[in-house]
Amino acid sequence: MSKVVYLPLDERPCNAKFPKMIAAISDLSLAAPPNERLGRKKTPARFEDIRDWLLQETSDADYLILSVDMLVYGGIVPSRLHQLSLQECTERLGLLQKLKLQNPALRIYAFNLIMRAPAYNSSDEEPDYYAHYGHSIFRYGWLKDKQASETLTDEESSEWLQLPLDVPASILENFLQRREVNAQVNEQVIRLVKSGLIDHLVIPLDDNAKYGFSPMEQRKLLVEAEQCNLMDNVLIYPGADEIGSILFAKVFCAIKNYQPEVFVRYSSTLGPAIIPKYEDRSLNESVKSHLTSGGAYMGDSSRTADFVLMVHSPPVSSKDVAESPNVYRERHRSYFSEVNIAEFVTAIEALSRKEHMVALADVASCNGADHALMQLLSKKGLISRLSAFAGWNTSGNTLGTVISHAIVASYYRKDGNRLEHSDCMSSHFLLYRLIEDWGYQTIVRQEAARHLPELGGTYFDVGAIHRQVSELVTQNLQRFCSDYLGELAEKNAAGLKAELPWNRMFEVDLSL
């Protein structure tokens, strides 16, 4: 049995738990550190703890899936807050050389984010000053990038002149200096791929847009990868919290010598060409990126495919893409004319009846599944016909999660590869995703949030009322299971409990 070691991006379930649940479908061993070693939100993990754990676990491992952000900065949020010098970061990267010297056969699959610059004023995951200057810092990057290739409008030119007056110089300097350190770390990691120390690298674009700091850095890194002839081993595309899962699928395919063929079908004619919210490229390009990153490829026919990826897509781009709290009647008018949910459901039914493996990527809305689609699937008894499902947060998060699940599960559907526990663990993860992405993110989160003012909490701070909110969410999710999941959840969701890992409503940790 091959041993795979995994160092997550942070301690949240999407990073620390999902890859282990997908690995549990397989016969591979996945070793991951206990959550207490991974820091907590803005508190970074101790480098010494990570170093000691990696030295111990990789001594007899075959593969290491490694978050560079966790190794160097102590997690995703600390990567946006740290005061480390480039020399300190370089020294921490030097641990990879020690791991390889200790175990020359170790293959390293790494991922390292391009530091984001979100478009809103909030310090929940950013430096304190981002609560006041976040949007202005985002606009500074946007306009700086845009004017490099296009002429700014008169209004934009005036804004560009005003921004340095709106953002204190010390704050902008702090932000830009940290970006420069992180950018140079990314360049160093690409050079480690060139030297052969790192075998495969994914650089995800977290909370990305058409213009801005991230696109500027992305282009520079892609040029370097092309010059080094590494475009097969250095992949850059939108994503973040799903990369641990997709790289496990990549490692799985390498170990099993498996290259799944995937047929992709959309709910909207416009779907392949739309640009999802928080991303910078067409949906179909992102689908191809996630398939490639996981070791699969896009085929031409459902007949020969190892699984069919049904993509419930938005019919409109960027800011007009719906968010899951948006009720159907309040969506952009394109949702009423350019998405055919009835036909999409009919296709799912027909494909499953022909015994095709069907995986559903629900990216029609951000931050939760599309209730209009899901309740229709429930009504027609088709939820249990799905083999994999995701519909959470960004398009990239959803695609990477459902594709990872489907890649691993599809292998064990083949004659000769059957594994006694595989179907059970695959169904378990499917149920988990349905309850979280549809039940919690789309329905229960909004219901519970309405009670926060009377309980004395806010959306981003339920620390003082954590127990009451967790119990409320648990009760509402149990009712959701009864209303929509029927027999699928009757036994398997017994003992369902919900916790809020960062004392906020944005994410949930489930126990089934």
Side-chain angles (χ1 to χ4, degrees):
M1 181 186 294
S2 298
K3 179 181 177 182
V4 183
V5 174
Y6 171 53
L7 182 67
L9 181 57
D10 64 25
E11 82 284 5
R12 287 173 299 156
C14 54
N15 290 307
K17 190 173 183 178
F18 295 1
K20 290 191 287 187
M21 296 180 78
I22 293 172
I25 301 168
S26 76
D27 59 351
L28 302 187
S29 170
L30 184 68
N35 269 19
E36 55 266 24
R37 288 203 181 198
L38 298 176
R40 180 173 171 82
K41 200 176 181 181
K42 288 190 173 185
T43 302
R46 290 182 70 250
F47 171 73
E48 294 76 14
D49 289 344
I50 299 300
R51 176 198 63 201
D52 295 347
W53 183 84
L54 283 172
L55 284 166
Q56 177 181 339
E57 290 294 335
T58 61
S59 62
D60 61 346
D62 301 286
Y63 287 85
L64 169 62
I65 301 171
L66 174 98
S67 165
V68 175
D69 292 281
M70 174 57 74
L71 174 66
V72 174
Y73 314 114
I76 183 173
V77 175
S79 75
R80 308 164 189 158
L81 307 173
H82 71 87
Q83 301 295 332
L84 298 169
S85 68
L86 180 61
Q87 181 179 345
E88 289 174 297
C89 295
T90 301
E91 289 172 355
R92 292 184 176 188
L93 272 179
L95 177 64
L96 299 184
Q97 184 69 47
K98 295 179 181 178
L99 300 181
K100 204 82 165 182
L101 288 172
Q102 175 184 258
N103 179 1
L106 181 69
R107 295 179 64 81
I108 300 176
Y109 284 40
F111 60 107
N112 195 28
L113 275 64
I114 291 178
M115 188 177 117
R116 75 177 189 175
Y120 47 73
N121 290 338
S122 171
S123 60
D124 184 56
E125 297 183 31
E126 318 296 327
D128 290 344
Y129 56 71
Y130 222 85
H132 304 286
Y133 302 107
H135 182 68
S136 296
I137 291 172
F138 164 79
R139 290 296 297 170
Y140 181 90
W142 173 282
L143 294 172
K144 182 179 180 180
D145 186 22
K146 183 179 180 182
Q147 66 182 317
S149 58
E150 298 180 30
T151 302
L152 299 182
T153 65
D154 291 343
E155 184 178 352
E156 288 172 334
S157 296
S158 299
E159 183 183 4
W160 174 248
L161 295 174
Q162 182 63 36
L163 281 172
L165 305 177
D166 293 341
V167 183
S170 60
I171 287 176
L172 188 59
E173 181 182 5
N174 176 273
F175 180 83
L176 294 177
Q177 283 182 345
R178 186 176 299 107
R179 282 205 73 89
E180 180 59 26
V181 170
N182 290 16
Q184 291 190 47
V185 168
N186 269 330
E187 292 176 22
Q188 288 187 26
V189 175
I190 288 181
R191 289 195 286 272
L192 293 180
V193 179
K194 183 179 180 182
S195 72
L197 184 64
I198 292 176
D199 297 277
H200 186 73
L201 174 66
V202 174
I203 301 178
L205 301 163
D206 182 19
D207 203 342
N208 195 31
K210 182 179 180 180
Y211 302 108
F213 292 109
S214 292
M216 283 189 282
E217 185 175 342
Q218 174 195 188
R219 293 193 296 272
K220 184 177 181 181
L221 293 172
L222 269 173
V223 167
E224 184 160 352
E226 188 276 333
Q227 289 176 341
C228 297
N229 195 21
L230 294 173
M231 296 188 77
D232 57 338
N233 287 326
V234 177
L235 305 181
I236 306 177
Y237 59 89
D241 294 323
E242 79 294 335
I243 301 296
S245 295
I246 204 73
L247 282 182
F248 175 79
K250 179 81 169 179
V251 167
F252 177 87
C253 287
I255 292 172
K256 300 297 185 182
N257 194 27
Y258 180 48
Q259 187 180 35
E261 177 183 351
V262 184
F263 180 68
V264 182
R265 197 181 190 285
Y266 292 86
S267 62
S268 169
T269 302
L270 300 178
I274 67 98
I275 299 175
K277 190 181 287 187
Y278 313 119
E279 299 186 1
D280 69 340
R281 67 198 65 194
S282 68
L283 179 56
N284 202 51
E285 288 303 318
S286 285
V287 169
K288 290 192 289 185
S289 293
H290 285 279
L291 290 172
T292 302
S293 194
Y297 72 100
M298 187 182 291
D300 299 322
S301 169
S302 62
R303 291 187 178 184
T304 56
D306 294 290
F307 66 90
V308 177
L309 181 66
M310 302 294 288
V311 182
H312 183 34
S313 50
V316 66
S317 291
S318 303
K319 65 181 179 63
D320 292 319
V321 174
E323 298 274 351
S324 65
N326 300 147
V327 295
Y328 186 72
R329 64 177 177 273
E330 295 174 356
R331 293 180 176 180
H332 188 277
R333 63 178 61 201
S334 296
Y335 281 86
F336 302 105
S337 57
E338 291 292 342
V339 180
N340 196 320
I341 291 179
E343 189 277 340
F344 192 63
V345 169
T346 299
I348 289 175
E349 184 175 24
L351 287 164
S352 63
R353 193 187 308 118
K354 293 180 179 179
E355 298 187 352
H356 288 287
M357 178 178 173
V358 177
L360 173 58
D362 187 351
V363 297
S365 58
C366 294
N367 294 303
D370 180 9
H371 187 62
L373 169 68
M374 299 307 294
Q375 67 176 347
L376 187 54
L377 288 172
S378 177
K379 173 186 175 182
K380 297 179 76 67
L382 296 175
I383 296 292
S384 61
R385 302 274 190 92
L386 301 176
S387 295
F389 165 80
W392 66 285
N393 206 6
T394 67
S395 172
N397 294 153
T398 286
L399 290 170
T401 304
V402 71
I403 288 171
S404 305
H405 180 187
I407 285 174
V408 175
S410 67
Y411 176 83
Y412 293 105
R413 288 170 57 97
K414 297 179 178 297
D415 293 337
N417 296 339
R418 302 284 179 178
L419 195 64
E420 186 175 344
H421 72 271
S422 183
D423 286 347
C424 177
M425 299 310 297
S426 182
S427 296
H428 181 75
F429 189 58
L430 169 63
L431 179 61
Y432 192 106
R433 300 262 48 78
L434 289 165
I435 296 174
E436 179 178 351
D437 300 358
W438 180 20
Y440 178 73
Q441 294 205 26
T442 302
I443 301 173
V444 171
R445 179 167 54 181
Q446 280 64 247
E447 293 174 350
R450 285 195 288 268
H451 295 281
L452 295 180
E454 65 197 60
L455 293 173
T458 65
Y459 187 88
F460 285 104
D461 186 5
V462 297
I465 56 170
H466 183 273
R467 181 51 46 209
Q468 299 101 299
V469 177
S470 295
E471 290 175 356
L472 176 63
V473 169
T474 297
Q475 292 167 6
N476 287 355
L477 284 176
Q478 289 170 340
R479 187 168 62 250
F480 161 80
C481 290
S482 176
D483 290 344
Y484 293 106
L485 300 184
E487 293 182 4
L488 188 65
E490 195 170 300
K491 296 178 181 178
N492 299 318
L496 170 64
K497 288 180 61 178
E499 296 288 343
L500 304 170
W502 276 4
N503 283 326
R504 64 183 189 179
M505 300 300 295
F506 190 71
E507 59 270 294
V508 69
D509 185 9
L510 301 178
S511 299
L512 302 183

